[in-house]
Amino acid sequence: MIEDAYPLAALQAGMLYHSELEPDSPTFHDLMTITLRGEPDVPALTRALAEVSARHPVLRTSFDLTGFSEPLQLVHDTVTIPLEVADLREGAVRETGPGRGGPDGETGHAEDGKGPRERLAAWREREKHTGFDWSSPPLLRVHVHVLDGGEFALSLSFHHALLDGWSVATLVTEILHRYAAPPGYASAPLAPPRARFRDMVAAERSATASAETREFWRERVTDAPESRLPRLPGFPVDGPRDVTVLAVPVPRETVAALERESRELRVPLRTILLTAHLRALGLVTGEREVMTGVLSHSRPENEDGGEVLGLFLNSLPIRVRLDAASRADLVRRVFDAEIAAVPHRSYPLFEIQRAAGRSPLLDTLFDFRDFHVYGGLPGEGAAITGQEFFEQTDMPCTVAFVRVPGGGLTLTISYDRTQFPRDQIEALAGRVLAALTGEPGLGEAETEAITRWNATGRDHPGGTLHELIFAQAALTPDAPAVGFEGTWITYRELAARAVAIAAELRAAGVERDQPVGVYLERSTDLPVALLGILAAGGAYLPLEPGHPAERLRTMLSDAGARVLLTSAALAGQAPQAGRTVLLPAGAPAPTGQEDLNPPDGPGHEDALAYVIFTSGSTGRPKGVGVSHRAIVNRLRWMQADHAITPADRVLHKTPISFDISVWELFWPLVTGAGLVVAKPGGHYEPSYLARLIVSERITTAHFVPSMLDPFLDTPELAPGELRRVVCSGEALPADLVRRFAERLPEVELHNLYGPTETAVEVSTHRCDPAEQVVPIGRPGDNTRLEVLDDRFGRAPVGTRGQLFIGGVQLARGYLGRPGLTAERFVPDPYGPPGSRLYATGDQARWRPDGEIEYLGRLDTQIKIRGMRVELGEIEAALLDQPEVRAAAVVADGERLIGYVVVGGTAGGTTTAPPPVSPETPPETG
Ligand code: AMP
Ligand code: MG
């Protein structure tokens, strides 16, 4: 007979819903096993179970999810808790029900080769996956397993929707009291506790109806931080949730110190423990403000509140800024946040989540369990020798401090093994423990690992870029150096023509560190001209024909370039400079007697080699000056990694206003390989490139990912002699890597990364079609990468931070912009005095394998087919128009949309003009 019926608590409903979806899942199937000394007394246990069943309504409860207008829990008047007894000892009867007694079942376990404890463990595994029938009470089963050594196991298997942890402890205690009591002796009251679970359901209902409480929680969760633990490569793995526990004892001295602190600050110990959890969370998420769930045990406050059984639980978000002035301040701040939530604690998480519009809202949960378990148990007849509690929830990670007998504390972290590797959770436990007494920070092992990953020192021979090329020319004067449209010049011709140009440039006043504008289309003349400028001691400043004249003029003057080098054909359209030097038309016939000595004499490695302009957020592009030392290191490192030979041919197709072109042009020339120059505009034509790669026997080519994509689609695609493709300039998607491996299986693919503010690229990764995310890899030779938080502290492995770059490949700075240079090239807190780090504005993280993952920008800089664009620069250009009062530019895929407010009066109109393109045609690397 049904004696009571009432709705479900929101948490119960959620749990049952989950179990309905996955009937055999161990999630929310709790299993408590305690080991006791002695022989099991089945009649006494049967009696004890009958008494607790009579006393506690939740043990007589079933669920009806569909039969009424809303799901109900139904309390039945009498319910017998099923009890099964099995002897797991060698040769024993396999299973007997209560009262069945005799050896009428199958006998013998001898063949399975396991001991009783292993059989118990195997049974526990099976039991976790054996579901319950909502409609037949109780949702609880009891099992006794006779073990060896004079012990037996008592297991309570039940659905979590019935009982919270406190209730489990209370129930076990009560059962054992009744079990151990002499027959006829009332060891515990038989009358039900006055507190009832149905009252908690009613309280939740009224909280849900309260506008004030709803508003309280809405405010808390609006724009809440993610506070999501990092997921490392390979995680989550596909498959059913698999929760396990890591337990670490808290040192005794620490517990004593925390208890002292709790008294001094007049806050509960729990608050101090919660504060440590929050600080550890701040460290591993990289957030200044964090949010976690806190398990709230909302037991009734009347005198039977501790005895009533039920699911008196709710998880409440707590959100705290971590930037307190002192540890005590932070603890008080956490306490205040807890106190503020108390009047609203019955509001179910489900509703809070709905208000946040985000599900799941919480990635971590905090709990403090100080259960007075098994209090005053009768020693004889019920001595507990062990216990194991399995509970799996849908929380990815629960950090709990548990009181242990004797007043100690254990830190336990329950985590889903499909989402986190054990190492990560061990590290988290270490950080929580560290936060109990001080600053949580990087462990020694982690610091050591980051140092090791950055141990990139390699002694490369020095020299300037042009010295290296002239040395190569002396070595292989007659080898083909530069090929363009089917015609090749030798290293001798290259060097001789460069020497001649250098002499002219010297005469025009070019000297060390001076940028010389170069205004040329791609052809054989281009590498000749660049080498000529370097040989004269100058630095080249690429100016691309086709770019707006105004922009080119500004670049020349901002860089302080007084000399421009161009061809007779282009001179008419070239920007005006102090002096214009023309390349000689046509090449002189080689004589073999050419002067191969640059007029510069010994070069200086710290002199500027090139200046490349890049978009500036305030509207003014900035010129980045890079030294010979930096770019030579780049080339030496590349050569050390790939060892190209005179048999190799490298494609040059990237417009020279992009730094990628620097290695395309010079890597072959410093190694004796052939440089194949693509025709002007050829970089836009995938099929031309595909044909060129085959016909010119190219072995090495660069693509920005957005150009690699259409390239892989060209019908002409064939590997020819292509051995390696290098990607850089923008994020390389994993599916593109897979497509590449399908179309060009014999060709290596590398993902490189680097801003213009360093010599082209500073990290490298060999791609693997199996990877889910393509990292940007490890630092190159003589380069250091750091992932730092906003106070220049090292972010832990796996945690997002800003990527900083140190080492010899750093640019000297922005030409003529000392303020801007100081802003982005900052003192290196981890390097020798005077060393600098470049702040990239990129977000990144270390992976446990020592490679770095790129995670997007911190600002509004974007990439359009590899071209770096600051939206602020375009906004500034719009604002320059007299009619425009306000402007905003947003990126929409490959389009940029500018919004402007026009008119001189307030309340002007916002219009979306046709998409604004960057001033220059999109780069296609
Ligand atoms: P740039 O100065 O044109 O070389 O642009 C540098 C920026 O491009 C970097 O700061 C990144 O935002 C982006 N970038 C370059 N290489 C990569 C890469 N391999 N993966 C993701 N982003 C990249
Ligand atoms: Mg770059």
Side-chain angles (χ1 to χ4, degrees):
M1 262 219 343
I2 308 286
E3 66 171 35
D4 195 8
Y6 53 96
L8 275 62
L11 182 56
Q12 287 183 301
M15 287 176 178
L16 293 178
Y17 175 74
H18 197 291
S19 298
E20 282 272 271
L21 285 183
E22 297 172 25
D24 301 330
S25 160
T27 300
F28 302 126
H29 186 146
D30 288 12
L31 182 54
M32 170 64 135
T33 298
I34 56 174
T35 319
L36 296 154
R37 201 163 309 134
E39 286 288 316
D41 178 348
V42 175
L45 187 57
T46 308
R47 189 185 61 237
L49 293 177
E51 287 173 8
V52 293
S53 168
R55 187 171 184 231
H56 296 288
V58 298
L59 302 182
R60 285 179 273 116
T61 293
S62 65
F63 296 96
D64 190 326
L65 304 183
T66 52
F68 299 91
S69 60
E70 68 173 308
L72 289 182
Q73 35 199 333
L74 308 175
V75 182
H76 302 250
D77 58 355
T78 31
V79 164
T80 305
I81 297 173
L83 169 65
E84 290 202 344
V85 181
D87 192 336
L88 299 183
R89 288 173 300 184
E90 276 335 283
V93 172
R94 177 161 284 174
E95 201 141 292
T96 54
R100 270 200 276 150
D104 55 356
E106 297 169 69
T107 56
H109 303 286
E111 296 97 301
D112 68 2
K114 290 179 187 158
R117 317 261 159 180
E118 286 169 290
R119 289 189 196 114
L120 176 63
W123 172 83
R124 279 173 57 85
E125 271 323 298
R126 284 196 305 277
E127 179 60 21
K128 288 172 192 174
H129 293 274
T130 311
F132 294 95
D133 173 3
W134 311 139
S135 63
S136 59
L139 274 64
L140 168 87
R141 302 188 277 261
V142 177
H143 296 259
V144 166
H145 292 102
V146 181
L147 305 171
D148 49 0
E151 292 188 335
F152 69 97
L154 174 66
S155 296
L156 267 56
S157 172
F158 56 94
H159 198 275
H160 196 356
L162 292 192
L163 303 171
D164 57 23
W166 179 287
S167 299
V168 178
T170 307
L171 175 60
V172 170
T173 308
E174 192 177 329
I175 291 173
L176 291 179
H177 269 285
R178 295 181 188 282
Y179 170 77
Y185 180 84
S187 58
L190 292 169
R194 263 155 299 166
R196 297 174 309 171
F197 181 60
R198 65 157 22 254
D199 300 335
M200 129 98 205
V201 176
E204 181 181 286
R205 295 248 147 173
S206 79
T208 308
S210 154
E212 189 198 336
T213 293
R214 185 176 332 120
E215 184 52 24
F216 174 86
W217 288 114
R218 202 192 52 75
E219 255 176 48
R220 296 298 121 136
V221 296
T222 301
D223 300 324
E226 285 283 322
S227 297
R228 192 175 145 81
L229 297 179
R231 300 305 198 270
L232 296 175
F235 290 85
V237 292
D238 275 342
R241 169 176 295 275
D242 178 11
V243 172
T244 186
V245 180
L246 172 78
V248 192
V250 180
R252 288 222 157 257
E253 326 73 79
T254 306
V255 178
L258 296 174
E259 277 164 349
R260 254 195 321 277
E261 190 179 13
S262 138
R263 282 191 299 275
E264 277 162 22
L265 299 176
R266 294 161 187 238
V267 297
L269 177 63
R270 168 192 141 102
T271 303
I272 295 176
L273 302 173
L274 171 58
T275 307
H277 164 68
L278 291 168
R279 292 177 77 208
L281 194 57
L283 179 70
V284 298
T285 59
E287 295 170 344
R288 285 271 162 258
E289 185 188 34
V290 290
M291 184 169 73
T292 190
V294 172
L295 207 61
S296 130
H297 305 262
S298 50
R299 300 203 140 254
E301 273 143 25
N302 66 38
E303 55 183 300
D304 283 350
E307 272 183 62
V308 60
L309 306 186
L311 185 71
F312 294 92
L313 288 185
N314 193 14
S315 301
L316 298 172
I318 187 164
R319 174 179 177 182
V320 175
R321 285 205 60 85
L322 297 172
D323 53 358
S326 70
R327 180 179 162 95
D329 280 355
L330 184 60
V331 169
R332 276 190 216 101
R333 185 181 291 179
V334 172
F335 187 56
D336 289 347
E338 286 185 283
I339 292 296
V342 168
H344 308 288
R345 71 184 190 283
S346 294
Y347 199 72
L349 176 64
F350 175 76
E351 295 292 334
I352 300 174
Q353 206 153 272
R354 211 154 64 166
R358 194 171 105 191
S359 178
L361 177 64
L362 302 169
D363 197 44
T364 62
L365 192 63
F366 172 83
D367 189 18
F368 176 50
R369 286 182 219 137
D370 189 2
F371 301 159
H372 310 280
V373 190
Y374 320 134
L377 272 186
E380 283 311 300
I384 298 176
T385 57
Q387 67 158 304
E388 212 173 330
F389 183 37
F390 170 82
E391 178 180 276
Q392 172 161 309
T393 69
D394 57 352
M395 239 326 144
C397 175
T398 301
V399 172
F401 285 92
V402 183
R403 270 284 184 208
V404 290
L409 282 177
T410 299
L411 167 64
T412 69
I413 304 186
S414 313
Y415 65 99
D416 181 3
R417 262 194 285 213
T418 67
Q419 298 185 61
F420 309 104
R422 179 120 185 138
D423 290 357
Q424 187 182 358
I425 298 299
E426 278 169 359
L428 177 64
R431 300 187 209 284
V432 175
L433 289 177
L436 286 176
T437 50
E439 259 315 303
L442 266 58
E444 227 169 85
E446 208 168 5
T447 307
E448 191 270 320
I450 292 173
T451 308
R452 182 159 34 83
W453 298 331
N454 272 316
T456 56
R458 176 130 51 152
D459 246 342
H460 289 307
T464 59
L465 191 47
H466 51 284
E467 278 167 356
L468 265 54
I469 300 171
F470 282 104
Q472 184 62 47
L475 219 58
T476 55
D478 299 314
V482 182
F484 176 66
E485 308 264 71
T487 311
W488 285 81
I489 60 167
T490 62
Y491 272 85
R492 184 196 311 280
E493 290 167 274
L494 168 70
R497 287 174 60 190
V499 167
I501 291 164
E504 270 199 63
L505 291 170
R506 294 290 273 204
V510 170
E511 41 187 54
R512 178 170 299 168
D513 268 354
Q514 228 183 66
V516 176
V518 51
Y519 187 81
L520 287 172
E521 298 279 13
R522 268 199 303 271
S523 76
T524 309
D525 283 349
L526 181 65
V528 169
L530 301 182
L531 184 56
I533 293 170
L534 297 174
Y540 74 86
L541 163 64
L543 302 169
E544 267 183 66
H547 283 200
E550 175 56 33
R551 188 178 178 110
L552 297 181
R553 252 195 313 279
T554 322
M555 281 162 59
L556 272 172
S557 69
D558 276 7
R562 295 191 293 270
V563 179
L564 177 84
L565 180 59
T566 184
S567 65
L570 291 172
Q573 66 185 74
Q576 285 299 306
R579 292 280 301 269
T580 297
V581 173
L582 295 185
L583 280 173
T591 62
Q593 303 305 312
E594 289 85 357
D595 177 5
L596 299 186
N597 298 306
D600 177 42
H604 193 296
E605 291 164 28
D606 289 313
L608 285 183
Y610 65 88
V611 176
I612 284 186
F613 273 78
T614 185
S615 183
S617 57
T618 55
R620 194 169 143 212
K622 53 215 187 211
V624 180
V626 176
S627 70
H628 284 268
R629 187 187 299 282
I631 185 62
V632 166
N633 186 80
R634 172 73 194 89
L635 298 177
R636 298 273 199 204
W637 159 41
M638 217 162 180
Q639 182 61 11
D641 269 15
H642 299 280
I644 64 169
T645 69
D648 274 283
R649 287 190 175 178
V650 179
L651 174 63
H652 162 56
K653 67 177 180 58
T654 303
I656 54 169
S657 55
F658 292 88
D659 62 357
I660 290 155
S661 63
V662 180
W663 70 246
E664 285 181 344
L665 285 156
F666 296 112
W667 187 19
L669 299 182
V670 299
T671 51
L675 164 64
V676 177
V677 178
K679 70 179 185 188
H683 56 287
Y684 293 124
E685 296 175 34
S687 48
Y688 160 78
L689 294 175
R691 286 194 306 270
L692 188 68
I693 285 171
V694 174
S695 67
E696 291 300 321
R697 307 201 313 272
I698 284 162
T699 61
T700 303
H702 178 277
F703 282 91
V704 290
S706 47
M707 264 310 278
L708 182 62
D709 201 348
F711 174 70
L712 291 180
D713 285 337
T714 51
E716 287 93 337
L717 184 76
E721 287 176 35
L722 195 60
R723 291 235 309 273
R724 64 185 71 81
V725 166
V726 176
C727 272
S728 68
E730 61 191 7
L732 177 58
D735 58 340
L736 191 53
V737 172
R738 271 191 294 281
R739 224 148 61 73
F740 184 94
E742 278 160 24
R743 309 260 1 228
L744 298 169
E746 304 296 316
V747 184
E748 295 172 8
L749 181 63
H750 301 267
N751 185 30
L752 276 64
Y753 160 91
T756 306
E757 285 82 348
T758 63
V760 199
E761 289 115 350
V762 290
S763 76
T764 182
H765 167 79
R766 168 84 191 262
C767 298
D768 171 354
E771 60 203 2
Q772 299 298 306
V773 173
V774 189
I776 57 172
R778 38 187 94 246
D781 293 353
N782 304 309
T783 286
R784 208 172 82 235
L785 298 180
E786 293 281 358
V787 178
L788 305 181
D789 65 21
D790 50 10
R791 294 176 192 170
F792 296 101
R794 277 189 173 137
V797 173
T799 299
R800 172 188 297 259
Q802 184 177 184
L803 183 60
F804 287 76
I805 305 169
V808 336
Q809 280 183 217
L810 255 59
R812 279 181 21 182
Y814 301 113
L815 261 65
R817 312 277 289 271
L820 193 59
T821 302
E823 208 176 284
R824 299 309 290 257
F825 294 82
V826 298
D828 177 357
Y830 303 97
S835 58
R836 300 174 308 157
L837 290 178
Y838 171 66
T840 65
D842 288 318
Q843 301 191 71
R845 63 173 188 167
W846 283 110
R847 309 193 322 178
D849 61 1
E851 300 220 8
I852 287 194
E853 232 171 68
Y854 168 83
L855 300 167
R857 290 290 302 175
L858 284 160
D859 56 18
T860 61
Q861 177 181 305
I862 58 159
K863 283 277 178 149
I864 301 173
R865 281 185 245 154
M867 185 166 78
R868 177 167 152 183
V869 178
E870 295 279 0
L871 297 182
E873 180 173 349
I874 301 166
E875 284 166 1
L878 291 174
L879 283 170
D880 270 351
Q881 309 303 306
E883 316 83 49
V884 173
R885 279 202 312 127
V889 174
V890 294
D892 169 28
E894 281 214 341
R895 291 196 318 174
L896 290 178
I897 304 177
Y899 295 90
V900 293
V901 179
V902 290
T905 54
T909 47
T910 303
T911 56
V916 179
S917 329
E919 287 166 80
T920 49
E923 138 67 335
T924 52

